[in-house]
Amino acid sequence: MTGQVRPVAGDLPPASSPTIADVARHAGVSTATVSRVLAGLGGAAPATSERVLDAARRLGYRPSGVARSLKLRTTRTFGLIVTDIENPFFPQLVRAVEDAANAAGYAVLLCNAVDDPSRELAYLELLADRRVDGVVIAAASLGRRQQAWLAEAPVPVVLVNGSVPGTRIPSIESDNAGGGRLATEHLLALGHRRLAALTAPRNADAAARLAGVRDAVSGPAAELAVGEGDPTVAGGEAATDQVLAAQPGTTGIVAYNDLMAIGAMRVVRASGRRVPDDVSVVGFDDIGLASLVEPPLTTVAQSTVEMGRWAIERLTAAVRGESAGSPGPLPVRLVVRGSTGLAPPQV
Amino acid sequence: MTGQVRPVAGDLPPASSPTIADVARHAGVSTATVSRVLAGLGGAAPATSERVLDAARRLGYRPSGVARSLKLRTTRTFGLIVTDIENPFFPQLVRAVEDAANAAGYAVLLCNAVDDPSRELAYLELLADRRVDGVVIAAASLGRRQQAWLAEAPVPVVLVNGSVPGTRIPSIESDNAGGGRLATEHLLALGHRRLAALTAPRNADAAARLAGVRDAVSGPAAELAVGEGDPTVAGGEAATDQVLAAQPGTTGIVAYNDLMAIGAMRVVRASGRRVPDDVSVVGFDDIGLASLVEPPLTTVAQSTVEMGRWAIERLTAAVRGESAGSPGPLPVRLVVRGSTGLAPPQV
DNA sequence: CTGAAAGCGCTAACAT
DNA sequence: ATGTTAGCGCTTTCAG
């Protein structure tokens, strides 16, 4: 089948995209003039300008981004590596990053690492080979080899929600410790004294969140059990099983993230307890889902919009040759919904 | 601040990426030889090969994808336009498309149209300018201007979950009518006779789903009320308000998608009715969320993996110059969970 | 105001 | 087995 072939009439665009030379020929000028006119940088006689614009329009000419990138040594593209696009936190971040990038005139090459460090590294190289102007990494954790690569990355890199301790790679993080503290204080204020934290040891920011919880708990005479799991609903279920076994009297749970919190609610309910009457649960992230579950989840919200904005802003600065460090932690805020309530009366 | 400047020793990579010429010089050969060796297409003396590989490694040479694209006239990139990345259905699709594209050796440029037709068009042009090798559009609906653009797109395009009636653009869709029928028959089999459908008129595939529902209902002596709204939780709430007002005795609801179904459950509950005891609800899509809500949602699952696979497969075929039509509808399957149950006894 | 020409980094004939 | 060269499509001095 040669289904693609169509009869071509007079001035119609050729099969493969017209080039600047085609336009130049049709307008009876040089390619330099076409380039100038199309760039909008005046300096061309109105009549000439007219002819060029006209030819371009007739031919349906669109400059090749590829050729332009080669010449200009910039692709106007940023790479974005996320740990797992199917975790509802990331679409929000992707959106924020893409919006910010678009606003700055950049496109985004999305790379979903699927929680696989080797894919992460492969993507890093892919992006470098494609000469993106910068890459933002939103990864829960970073392997050794990725860190090594990043240490001498040939392109500007920013980290979102994570950092590489040894290096100078700019990064931004929410106030994770503050968030953990906030969540815990909320529970404490409601009278809870037997608390549990659900953590996800593989995630870089989990430690800070847990530290915040510990910090808050240390004041009042309260107890804290800790459970571990993956940062998923299933992981939250597993972690909750642990803490409920270790400390059956638990009345308040603060989870590493909303997914784990949802898992916690399921297990709590499966154990015959009610949320929030018997056990209160608070999450982290405020994913869209949080307000949709029953009861709606009390959670610590982070601003993905801010993160995306900062990441792109930092990258565009790097493109301009400016250097800068990492800002302080991004403020978080507690969103109180239905999954937390007064502690049940002491038995 | 000139923070980027570092002292350079002997053989270290230059500030800006080394080119093939650098490698050639260091290895004492021509660029052609370097290109051959690196391409792995034999025809080079082992010793030479060795020297080239060595030089490349020492310099940290990585071929420029941009230059290669210009020369080879292919970017090994596909564009992916989605209606709204924050709608949980799309991350799944994004993942499927990206996986398939990666497997075929392509990267994916993600474009989130944010439900805005003009952005959609802008993206189409952006992708064309960047000379992507193909684009997959996953849009709920397409405006006139986009359709016009698509009709003579300069690059292969495939549509996922939608089609442009007049044209020959290859597209793939789930068996929407079949899904609507399946959902309805499930309710009918449970004894429901006062049914309601929640539809999202703006979405192209909504009509087919509704037709499927109507089709199933027409057999038994059953009644059907129809409510309209956006394909979101809020839209589902609005639509449910309508049908409950119009037909208070409704016991079974089939929603356009899971989000609307969740909205329906909320309104049903808010009205004092229980799910599924008083009213059964079935959704469409089987987003991750579906199994997490309370009660878990009965829904019609579509295979995003299949869709992604087909889309990429079709695009790579087009790249190879092959032509082909659209396949038949993709099968869907009913996933029965807790939101549906026997119809309550007649009053 | 406009054109000629160089060159971005790479590959692929076409020599040798 | 390897080198020379042209050229992908564009921008940008440098001349005129």
Side-chain angles (χ1 to χ4, degrees):
Chain A
M1 283 279 216
T2 57
Q4 312 287 40
V5 182
R6 289 177 305 182
V8 176
D11 239 13
L12 285 186
S16 104
S17 315
T19 73
I20 196 172
D22 296 323
V23 179
R25 193 171 327 110
H26 280 249
V29 298
S30 74
T31 62
T33 298
V34 175
S35 180
R36 284 190 205 104
V37 171
L38 262 32
L41 326 160
T48 315
S49 219
E50 197 57 43
R51 287 216 313 290
V52 169
L53 260 13
D54 206 64
R57 196 172 317 115
R58 279 204 329 268
L59 294 173
Y61 171 72
R62 310 238 67 196
S64 158
V66 175
R68 188 186 295 220
S69 288
L70 182 59
K71 177 72 200 180
L72 265 25
R73 321 172 69 77
T74 166
T75 50
R76 306 237 55 141
T77 304
F78 289 137
L80 170 58
I81 300 185
V82 300
T83 298
D84 176 16
I85 187 76
E86 293 181 278
N87 173 330
F89 173 73
F90 290 104
Q92 277 179 231
L93 187 65
V94 167
R95 210 263 222 226
V97 168
E98 202 203 350
D99 284 355
N102 286 169
Y106 287 78
V108 172
L109 211 39
L110 178 73
C111 304
N112 182 33
V114 202
D115 255 317
D116 176 350
S118 75
R119 275 188 76 159
E120 220 161 72
L121 191 55
Y123 274 134
L124 248 14
E125 297 189 323
L126 172 93
L127 293 174
D129 289 357
R130 291 178 174 245
R131 301 297 192 261
V132 295
D133 295 335
V135 4
V136 4
I137 305 186
S141 63
L142 245 26
R144 284 236 144 284
R145 303 186 54 206
Q146 290 85 300
Q147 296 196 13
W149 192 95
L150 290 180
E152 33 192 309
V155 18
V157 173
V158 301
L159 259 31
V160 149
N161 245 16
S163 59
V164 179
T167 67
R168 283 210 133 300
I169 301 171
S171 63
I172 192 170
E173 293 185 274
S174 282
D175 183 3
N176 288 303
R181 207 176 304 118
L182 217 54
T184 311
E185 282 165 356
H186 170 62
L187 256 20
L188 256 11
L190 289 169
H192 297 271
R193 286 300 177 271
R194 292 206 135 114
L195 270 21
L198 272 27
T199 191
R202 282 180 37 204
N203 285 30
D205 46 6
R209 292 185 191 175
L210 183 55
V213 174
R214 287 221 152 89
D215 187 29
V217 164
S218 68
E223 296 166 56
L224 180 72
V226 176
E228 301 189 341
D230 287 333
T232 61
V233 172
E237 293 177 340
T240 305
D241 281 333
Q242 297 167 27
V243 299
L244 252 27
Q247 188 185 66
T250 300
T251 68
I253 299 179
V254 7
Y256 165 71
N257 68 7
D258 289 344
L259 257 18
M260 290 186 86
I262 290 171
M265 292 207 287
R266 290 163 68 91
V267 168
V268 163
R269 204 143 28 200
S271 77
R273 301 167 170 91
R274 286 158 310 162
V275 179
D277 313 70
D278 301 312
V279 179
S280 286
V281 176
V282 14
F284 209 112
D285 285 352
D286 195 21
I287 57 181
L289 180 42
S291 62
L292 265 25
V293 291
E294 262 306 311
L297 191 62
T298 292
T299 187
V300 176
Q302 15 184 2
S303 173
T304 52
V305 171
E306 277 312 311
M307 288 185 168
R309 205 204 308 279
W310 175 86
I312 295 309
E313 141 88 45
R314 184 66 200 74
L315 248 24
T316 51
V319 167
R320 292 192 304 272
E322 296 166 24
S323 186
S326 307
L330 228 47
V332 296
R333 64 176 215 289
L334 183 72
V335 179
V336 179
R337 287 197 271 247
S339 67
T340 51
L342 254 25
Q346 293 285 117
V347 192
Chain B
M1 283 281 213
T2 57
Q4 313 286 39
V5 181
R6 289 176 306 180
V8 176
D11 239 11
L12 286 184
S16 102
S17 313
T19 73
I20 198 172
D22 296 322
V23 178
R25 193 172 326 111
H26 280 250
V29 299
S30 74
T31 61
T33 299
V34 175
S35 179
R36 283 188 207 107
V37 171
L38 263 32
L41 326 159
T48 315
S49 218
E50 197 58 42
R51 289 216 313 289
V52 169
L53 259 13
D54 206 62
R57 197 174 316 117
R58 279 201 334 264
L59 294 173
Y61 171 72
R62 311 237 68 196
S64 159
V66 176
R68 188 186 294 220
S69 289
L70 181 58
K71 176 70 201 185
L72 265 27
R73 325 173 68 77
T74 165
T75 50
R76 305 237 54 141
T77 304
F78 289 136
L80 170 59
I81 300 184
V82 300
T83 298
D84 176 16
I85 186 76
E86 293 181 277
N87 172 331
F89 174 73
F90 289 104
Q92 278 179 228
L93 186 65
V94 168
R95 208 261 222 229
V97 169
E98 202 201 351
D99 284 355
N102 285 170
Y106 287 78
V108 172
L109 211 41
L110 178 73
C111 304
N112 183 32
V114 203
D115 256 316
D116 175 351
S118 75
R119 277 188 74 160
E120 219 162 74
L121 191 55
Y123 274 133
L124 247 15
E125 295 187 324
L126 172 95
L127 292 173
D129 288 358
R130 294 184 169 238
R131 302 297 192 260
V132 296
D133 295 336
V135 4
V136 4
I137 303 186
S141 62
L142 245 25
R144 284 238 145 283
R145 303 185 53 206
Q146 289 84 299
Q147 297 196 15
W149 193 95
L150 290 179
E152 34 192 306
V155 17
V157 173
V158 301
L159 258 31
V160 149
N161 246 15
S163 58
V164 178
T167 68
R168 282 211 133 299
I169 301 172
S171 63
I172 192 171
E173 292 184 275
S174 283
D175 183 2
N176 288 304
R181 206 175 305 120
L182 216 53
T184 310
E185 283 165 357
H186 170 60
L187 255 21
L188 256 12
L190 288 169
H192 296 272
R193 287 298 175 274
R194 293 204 134 114
L195 270 20
L198 271 28
T199 191
R202 283 181 35 205
N203 285 28
D205 46 6
R209 291 186 192 173
L210 182 56
V213 173
R214 288 221 151 90
D215 186 30
V217 163
S218 68
E223 295 165 57
L224 179 72
V226 176
E228 302 189 341
D230 286 334
T232 62
V233 173
E237 293 176 340
T240 305
D241 280 334
Q242 297 168 27
V243 299
L244 252 28
Q247 188 184 65
T250 300
T251 69
I253 299 180
V254 7
Y256 165 70
N257 69 6
D258 289 344
L259 257 19
M260 291 187 87
I262 290 171
M265 293 206 286
R266 290 162 67 91
V267 167
V268 164
R269 205 142 30 199
S271 77
R273 301 166 169 92
R274 287 159 308 163
V275 178
D277 313 69
D278 301 314
V279 179
S280 288
V281 176
V282 14
F284 209 113
D285 285 352
D286 195 21
I287 60 181
L289 180 43
S291 61
L292 264 26
V293 291
E294 262 306 311
L297 191 62
T298 292
T299 186
V300 176
Q302 16 182 1
S303 174
T304 53
V305 171
E306 277 313 310
M307 287 183 169
R309 203 203 308 279
W310 175 86
I312 296 307
E313 142 88 42
R314 184 66 202 72
L315 247 25
T316 52
V319 167
R320 292 192 304 271
E322 298 165 22
S323 184
S326 307
L330 227 46
V332 296
R333 64 176 214 290
L334 182 72
V335 180
V336 178
R337 288 197 272 249
S339 66
T340 49
L342 254 27
Q346 292 285 115
V347 191

